Amino acid sequence: MNAIELHIEPPRAATRDRIVVTNPYDGSEVGSVADMPPQDAQAILQAAKEGARACRALSRHERARLLDACATHVERDQAAFANLIVAEVGKTIRQATKEVLRCVNTLRLSADEARRNAGEVIPFDAYAGSENRQGWFTREPLGVIVAITPYNDPLNLAAHKLGPAIAGGNAVILKPSELAPLSAMKLVSYLVAAGLPPNIVSVATGGAALGEALVSSRDVRMVSFTGGFITGEKIARSAGLKKLAMDLGGNAPVIVQGDCKLEDAVESCISGAFWAAGQNCIGTQRLLVHSSIYEEFKRRFVDSAQALKAGNPKRADTDVGPMISGQAAARAKGVVDAALSQGATLLCGNLLDGAVYAPTVLEDVKFDSVLWQQEVFAPVVVLHRIDSLEEAIGLANEPEYSLHAGIFTNDLEAAFKAAETLEAGGVMINDSSDYRFDAMPFGGFKYGSLGREGVRFAYEEMTQPKVVCIRRTARQV
Ligand code: NAD
């Protein structure tokens, strides 16, 4: 693919440094974007304040029509979007195509939300004392929203913020990951081409300093962030009094009970662990397998992991593409090497070739290792033998944060028990942790989690209720 240049520039054009976006598989240049310094934040915010007035003035059907039109055009050009995702993040072409189709769905769900979620009648006469009042609440825009996204789902995670923000009548400043800003910028250019009035969506390309300048502004009403814990903590410290949505990391456990359908469990956990080279916030990291089937599960799981084709993400038969960079892959290998030096056993993988890190499976991992306690965000999975469901649930709930969990079982009571006691934002039964439907509430439990995405839920976070109450002098019946 030729290097692409997207002409979405800051309002104050000047000679400036550029960020070169590199293909993680072959190191070629995919494109470049302006490296905006923090001083650019003021002009971007000023334009967004005008955009907030413009978006507020759009009727619900106009917002919905724009989002639907954009969805139709993204669907039409799905191959171009998918190729760009492959080039800038190294997802395989199958994975990238799925992400594009999810983005189309996210935009259409956002259009639906604009049409339907306008507020509610308030039953004032439901309690004594307000019989002569009638009214409702509307869902009003917040104003300017700053949306900050990570590299790993560069298109659909941007759509999960832009779609609900526009549906709710807000202006939004998108700061995509500097590692992979191009697909999100292409999406914004499609929104503009669909007729979105100027300044409703702007793109701020740059690093942490630019992000901080936007986040700390008093003109911003909400920061919607998806990314890592360390960044989330920094943003929370600099944001001050404004709404925060925090979609952070995970370290997902999946319990495999002795009574499950083994074939399904293996197949689903392989996909859950190695999808997008494990760079997936709900990717399966810890497999808690009952001792009655442990050896058989291990044999089949390791065979399947070794059969995966790792390499060129452009090829239709590639299962595992590169990680975002050679540095990220080397960091993952470092975490695995540390676990091995603490006594873990390597079952397969731990081989590095540039940014391609082979699917890696371990057992005997110590509970106090980084690999057990924290998110590795790489194609690495840990097997652990358990003797009871209670033991598995205790271990699953150990880390201080979580997103999704899963259980494979044919025992209804065990499934209910897991659903009730696993501390996670989503519990998948007879599926790995890696299932998400774009309309469902999505977010974490425990440390760091604030708010929910999933279009209706993000829309509600991005709007504020306003009550209108009419007092009548006499009640007619
Ligand atoms: P990251 O935290 O390094 O970066 C995310 C974004 O924050 C980037 O755009 C970056 O430029 C920006 N940023 C960095 N410092 C900033 C600062 N001080 N102020 C403002 N913005 C700043 O995350 P990453 O490595 O790109 O992504 C991986 C992480 O994202 C993983 O932890 C993963 O679990 C998480 N993630 C979570 C979800 C979810 O929905 N919960 C989805 C995908 C990824």
Side-chain angles (χ1 to χ4, degrees), residues 22-103:
T22 308
N23 181 319
Y25 181 68
D26 61 17
S28 61
E29 181 179 331
V30 186
S32 72
V33 297
D35 187 3
M36 299 182 192
Q39 296 86 306
D40 278 10
Q42 210 39 51
I44 298 168
L45 286 158
Q46 195 50 44
K49 285 203 294 191
E50 284 160 27
R53 283 190 285 278
C55 199
R56 193 186 180 86
L58 291 177
S59 63
R60 290 179 171 275
H61 80 83
E62 286 169 311
R63 293 177 215 159
R65 186 192 57 74
L66 284 164
L67 290 162
D68 271 337
C70 181
T72 301
H73 297 147
V74 174
E75 188 171 35
R76 180 197 61 201
D77 296 345
Q78 58 182 272
F81 274 95
N83 285 327
L84 186 53
I85 293 173
V86 171
E88 71 172 340
V89 296
K91 268 191 176 180
T92 68
I93 186 68
R94 273 182 289 140
Q95 293 161 356
T97 303
K98 186 170 172 189
E99 181 177 344
V100 178
L101 296 178
R102 282 186 59 187
C103 166

Side-chain angles (χ1 to χ4, degrees), residues 148-152 157 175-178 206-208 211-212 215 225-228 231 234-235 247-250 281 375 377 403 436 442:
I148 302 180
T149 49
Y151 68 81
N152 64 308
L157 290 177
K175 204 212 80 59
S177 167
E178 59 274 43
E212 292 266 354
V215 161
F225 173 69
T226 301
T231 314
K234 282 187 192 154
I235 288 174
D247 277 284
L248 307 177
C281 58
E375 176 184 55
F377 216 60
L403 275 171
R436 178 179 183 186
F442 181 77

Side-chain angles (χ1 to χ4, degrees), residues 157-353:
L157 290 177
H160 264 288
K161 299 190 188 302
L162 300 180
I166 295 167
N170 301 286
V172 54
I173 300 168
L174 175 68
K175 204 212 80 59
S177 167
E178 59 274 43
L179 299 173
L182 299 176
S183 1
M185 291 174 76
K186 190 172 170 75
L187 174 62
V188 171
S189 73
Y190 273 49
L191 281 166
V192 172
L196 194 74
N199 299 331
I200 291 180
V201 177
S202 39
V203 185
T205 50
L210 177 69
E212 292 266 354
L214 293 168
V215 161
S216 56
S217 164
R218 286 174 79 104
D219 290 328
V220 171
R221 295 285 162 267
M222 177 177 182
V223 177
S224 173
F225 173 69
T226 301
F229 280 90
I230 293 173
T231 314
E233 284 171 340
K234 282 187 192 154
I235 288 174
R237 275 197 292 273
S238 37
L241 291 178
K242 51 181 67 88
K243 268 186 137 176
L244 291 180
M246 289 278 155
D247 277 284
L248 307 177
N251 168 356
V254 172
I255 300 170
V256 186
Q257 290 281 90
D259 61 9
C260 74
K261 206 167 163 206
L262 200 57
E263 261 175 60
D264 289 356
V266 171
E267 188 187 333
S268 175
C269 291
I270 284 284
S271 168
F274 302 120
W275 184 266
Q279 299 162 111
N280 174 5
C281 58
I282 50 175
T284 304
Q285 188 170 324
R286 295 174 298 140
L287 278 167
L288 307 165
V289 184
H290 195 266
S291 50
S292 59
I293 54 160
Y294 185 85
E295 290 303 328
E296 179 62 11
F297 181 92
K298 179 168 96 177
R299 188 182 62 72
R300 291 192 195 200
F301 189 84
V302 172
D303 284 354
S304 301
Q306 285 177 314
L308 293 173
K309 277 196 183 159
N312 188 346
K314 277 197 212 162
R315 290 183 54 133
D317 62 349
T318 297
D319 300 300
V320 181
M323 292 183 63
I324 189 67
S325 63
Q327 204 183 14
R331 190 200 65 85
K333 188 174 186 313
V335 172
V336 168
D337 287 341
L340 293 173
S341 70
Q342 285 178 273
T345 307
L346 184 68
L347 299 174
C348 68
N350 201 24
L351 302 168
L352 204 54
D353 179 8

